């Protein structure tokens, strides 16, 4: 498997197991894995503190109200690029930098868009049935919320807003990706198997 | 392969090769294939003439303007069910009838929705890059239009409108299906291989 040359980007619904699938893929195909790790890299590369990347991670940008609350964006002076845009660009550069070093798995953060001119990229979207997402959110991610389903939907709305704003594509719409799999239908392990098969095909 | 027990429904963008993929799947897995064939069955079963099914095939329903033009729908009297709804229901019943006889491949026509309570169903959505869709539309389907891309987009808009109206789900959005594949990424034959692998997994 060490002759894999395909970068895998994974968009995912919250609670769908997308992160776990990505982690297993990176192990199976022997390549680095970036989820939150990408924020650390972007912080190192840009000089912004890592915390601010975590605070703004995959959250909607560009709305005036959000900018007011954050003290950024449209509320900032015209000659300074809004902070959320700067953070996006730092991540964008980091994703390209990482990809130029070789195959890897990158979770979320518009990596598919950042790498749209790269060959050897497989863009995947992972989703799941709500009951499975609720179970995973509580048992594996330790999500605490009055209404778990609402919290899941809200997180996905933020991801969608972030993705749609920066990529100009539509989050969760099949046409934005090469392959979309409902992890509830096949289970995590089999979903990984299918993606490995697809990657092996692309590596030929 | 004769012990396959999975019904496959295929939603598809116009020109994506979804029909061809479905046809190959039906051959590989040894089961009947329904695309336009479904309309013939629905006509036989309902008593409506087959032509009217073809005329209304996967076209938007429920809009007042459309109803006025068609002389159906909201413009019809309150005690008579609009013709487009009757046609939908006839197809809906036909799909269930066909499915109750055993595994098969059904293209479009909200088959995923009609069979949502059935076990052993794999709902697939096939899409493709625009250049491939244009090529296929002209060379294989013989599409003649001033602007091929516009014609493709219009057909998909009709399919989306029909699907969204009747199924209450969103056409082309990953979450509406179990598996979505860009046939441009892997090619028709490999896409068929992947789906066969998925079906074999579900048959276990």
């Amino acid at each position: 498997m060490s002759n894999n040359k395909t970068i895998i980007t994974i968009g995912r619904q919250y609670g769908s197991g997308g992160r776990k699938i990505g982690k297993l893929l990176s192990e199976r195909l022997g390549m680095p894995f970036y989820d939150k790790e990408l924020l650390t890299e972007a912080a190192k590369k840009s000089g912004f503190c890592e915390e601010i990347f975590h605070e703004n991670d995959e959250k909607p940008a560009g709305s005036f109200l959000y900018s007011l609350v954050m003290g950024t964006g449209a509320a900032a002076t015209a000659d300074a690029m809004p902070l959320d845009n700067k953070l996006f660009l730092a991540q964008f550069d980091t994703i390209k930098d990482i990809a130029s070093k070789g195959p890897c798995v990158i979770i979320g953060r518009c990596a598919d868009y950042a790498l749209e001119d790269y060959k050897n990229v497989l863009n995947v979207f992972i989703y799941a049935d709500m009951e499975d997402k609720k179970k995973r959110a509580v048992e594996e991610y330790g999500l605490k919320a009055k209404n778990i389903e609402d919290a899941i939907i809200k997180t996905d709305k933020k991801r969608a807003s972030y993705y749609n704003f920066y990529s100009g594509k539509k989050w969760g719409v099949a046409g934005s990706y090469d392959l979309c799999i409902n992890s509830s239908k096949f289970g995590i392990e089999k979903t990984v198997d299918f993606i490995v098969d697809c990657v092996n095909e692309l590596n030929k």
Side-chain angles (χ1 to χ4, degrees), chain A residues 45-64:
Chain A
K45 193 173 153 70
S46 66
F48 289 116
C49 76
E50 192 174 330
E51 215 165 39
I52 205 165
F53 279 100
H54 284 277
E55 278 169 10
N56 288 274
D57 191 26
E58 292 189 292
K59 287 189 184 141
S63 93
F64 183 68

Side-chain angles (χ1 to χ4, degrees), chain A residues 89-190:
Chain A
L89 280 182
Q91 283 190 47
F92 191 88
D93 289 344
T94 303
I95 290 166
K96 290 190 167 208
D97 206 41
I98 286 170
S100 70
K101 288 176 190 155
C104 58
V105 177
I106 306 176
I107 307 292
R109 289 141 198 119
C110 301
D112 54 336
Y113 173 64
L115 303 178
E116 68 177 355
D117 295 329
Y118 282 57
K119 286 177 184 175
N120 304 327
V121 179
L122 176 68
N123 299 314
V124 180
F125 185 76
I126 302 292
Y127 50 105
D129 296 346
M130 183 51 84
E131 284 314 304
D132 291 332
K133 291 191 286 188
K134 283 160 79 173
K135 196 168 183 290
R136 191 172 285 112
V138 173
E139 292 176 10
E140 293 185 31
Y141 310 166
L143 177 68
K144 291 186 202 324
K146 266 194 185 174
N147 187 324
I148 297 292
E149 188 165 329
D150 272 4
I152 289 172
I153 292 169
K154 265 184 197 159
T155 299
D156 280 351
K157 277 193 176 165
K158 282 179 196 163
R159 286 179 181 177
S161 173
Y162 180 83
Y163 182 88
N164 299 352
F165 180 80
Y166 284 114
S167 77
K169 298 194 290 180
K170 283 188 183 162
W171 186 87
V173 167
S176 301
Y177 313 88
D178 300 314
L179 180 67
C180 308
I181 306 183
N182 181 342
S183 64
S184 294
K185 187 75 179 180
F186 306 101
I188 298 293
E189 294 289 340
K190 281 296 157 192

